[in-house]
Amino acid sequence: MSSIDLSPATAVVVVLLALGGAAVAWLGRLGHAPAVLMASLRAAVQLGAVSLIIVWAVGRPLAVAAFVLVMYGVASVTAGRRVSPGPAGRWAAVPVAAGTAPVLALLFGTGTVPPQGITLIPVAGILLGGCLTATALAGRRALDELAQRRGEVEAALALGFSDRDAALEICRPPASQALVPALDQTGTVGLVTLPGAFVGMLLGGADPLHAGVVQLVVLVALLAAEAVAVVVTIELAARGRFGTR
């Protein structure tokens, strides 16, 4: 099965898509036109560099471990900035790790995923990316709710709730919505969406059944990891670890 060619035509299409996305954002006054171009440029540079690094690292266990740690650090910093700029954002590293580490341990410890660099790096990247998004969404929503509904928190305190329990009553329901994208992605796979792992394996020549099994493992693992990340994020927000917005 053929894949996308590395050709000048492909490069032109990517540039046109980036320019088109920026133009739409500008015409629609979304305020993100420069960000679309910068994100596209960064993606091109970073993917090119990462591709070369992975080729070198996959056969070196220490290099693989270092690569995964770098991904974890970037995911934690990015999530922290989204939730709470400043020192309090460092707590975002906790839910990112809490969601990713046990799922990785289960997948590789049971042999479900071969313990090789060529599989560890992409699987860890998928889980870290999912936990990054879940942590950022849950944390921001929790802090926004606590700030906007401060009177309800104080009312709960007046009724005898502890600080943590009062905060949880207010922030947990809205913040739990951070899990909805993962639920929708998993529940509609094959009917609405064909995720990257499935498409990538098909483009690489794998049979559809094998590609489907791999994608199922990835999706369910991602859903479990994000659920843990959301729960831990809400708990940290209720305990005031992220400060206030």
Side-chain angles (χ1 to χ4, degrees), residues 174-175 192 220 228 231:
V192 178
V220 176
V228 174
V231 169

Side-chain angles (χ1 to χ4, degrees), residues 15-244:
V15 171
L16 289 176
L17 288 171
L19 292 175
V24 170
W26 179 70
L27 291 172
R29 299 182 180 180
L30 302 181
H32 295 297
V36 171
L37 292 176
M38 182 57 66
S40 301
L41 178 61
R42 287 185 59 179
V45 174
Q46 290 167 189
L47 284 174
V50 165
S51 298
L52 297 176
I53 294 173
I54 289 178
V55 170
W56 172 80
V58 288
R60 299 172 171 84
L62 290 179
V64 171
F67 193 89
V68 172
L69 287 176
V70 169
M71 289 194 295
Y72 166 64
V74 173
S76 300
V77 170
T78 304
R81 288 175 178 173
R82 296 293 187 190
V83 176
S84 179
R90 292 178 296 184
W91 281 96
V94 177
V96 172
T100 303
V103 174
L104 276 181
L106 179 64
L107 291 178
F108 289 95
T110 61
T112 302
V113 177
Q116 302 170 358
I118 196 62
T119 54
L120 175 59
I121 290 175
V123 172
I126 290 171
L127 295 177
L128 287 168
C131 289
L132 183 165
T133 301
T135 298
L137 290 176
R140 291 184 65 175
R141 191 64 188 276
L143 294 186
D144 285 344
E145 288 294 316
L146 291 173
Q148 295 171 9
R149 301 169 61 186
R150 183 174 180 82
E152 295 177 54
V153 176
E154 293 176 350
L157 292 173
L159 292 174
F161 285 75
S162 65
D163 290 347
R164 169 187 173 273
D165 291 342
L168 282 177
E169 286 293 319
I170 301 304
C171 74
R172 181 159 48 194
S176 65
Q177 297 301 305
L179 197 58
V180 169
L183 288 170
D184 288 344
Q185 181 184 31
T186 304
T188 62
V189 65
L191 299 176
V192 178
T193 60
L194 293 176
F198 181 81
V199 174
M201 291 193 66
L202 289 182
L203 292 176
D207 64 274
L209 182 59
H210 187 202
V213 170
V214 171
Q215 184 62 72
L216 176 63
V217 171
V218 170
L219 281 176
V220 176
L222 184 58
L223 185 58
E226 290 192 32
V228 174
V230 169
V231 169
V232 175
T233 300
I234 294 173
E235 183 67 30
L236 290 173
R239 292 177 179 272
R241 296 297 185 265
F242 293 119
T244 57

